Amino acid sequence: MSKSITIFSIQKVLRELKKEEEKSQDPRTKVGCILTDGQGIIVARGHNRLPVTLQVQKTDWSLAIKNDLVIHAEMVAILTLVKLDHQPKKLIAWISHFPCKECAKILIDSGIKKIKYRINKYPRRNLYVVSKKILSRAEVPFSKISVKTNHPFD
């Protein structure tokens, strides 16, 4: 018996992803990450942010500071799983933006089975080209989120 996941399920994940993006204080790039199990149940979430012990000022988001200090949404979601003592094996990562090479490595190493992303804003930048190579080599499938998908959680 094959399981049928409706478009409503994808739309629910996209709504939750949007909510997570909106939590980001970054004025330029708001990124969210939702981790779901095979049935589409959300087990963790994260958004790009500074470490909690740092004071956030609007001026703190300059590119130089941001690139050095920001914790990516994927990393926050994985850290949430660790705090909950949940194993990330066989989970799907739903991410606003295609993961950078550092996040790709963390997602692979943590056992994420599939990556779905909303946009790939800079597909030709080296860190994203390398990310695709790393994910392909590790045999972790990745694809753009499509509401036409019949079985998004498989």
Side-chain angles (χ1 to χ4, degrees), residues 24-84:
S24 172
Q25 294 176 320
D26 184 338
R28 280 189 52 191
T29 307
K30 298 187 177 292
V31 182
C33 178
I34 302 287
L35 302 178
T36 62
D37 65 13
Q39 286 73 46
I41 295 170
I42 296 171
V43 296
R45 56 182 72 223
H47 58 276
N48 58 325
R49 63 173 176 77
L50 294 176
V52 293
T53 56
L54 296 178
Q55 292 293 322
V56 179
Q57 305 280 336
K58 284 192 176 195
T59 55
D60 284 342
W61 288 100
S62 68
L63 210 51
I65 292 172
K66 174 181 152 175
N67 288 340
D68 287 338
L69 297 179
V70 76
I71 303 171
H72 291 194
E74 301 91 329
M75 295 177 193
V76 173
I78 296 294
L79 286 170
T80 300
L81 284 177
V82 171
K83 289 177 185 175
L84 296 173

Side-chain angles (χ1 to χ4, degrees), residues 85-126:
D85 201 28
H86 189 292
Q87 294 298 315
K89 305 290 183 204
K90 299 185 179 179
L91 298 180
I92 300 170
W94 300 80
I95 312 166
S96 306
H97 294 246
F98 189 79
C100 71
K101 65 182 181 177
E102 297 305 320
C103 288
K105 292 185 280 188
I106 287 173
L107 292 167
I108 291 165
D109 202 45
S110 65
I112 296 294
K113 77 169 185 173
K114 186 184 293 187
I115 296 170
K116 299 282 202 173
Y117 62 93
R118 197 167 47 78
I119 59 172
N120 189 353
K121 205 170 179 180
Y122 307 107
R124 292 189 177 100
R125 282 193 181 167
N126 190 52

Side-chain angles (χ1 to χ4, degrees), residues 104 108 132-141:
I108 291 165
K132 285 183 179 182
K133 289 178 184 177
I134 292 168
L135 291 167
S136 295
R137 187 169 183 177
E139 297 180 356
V140 174

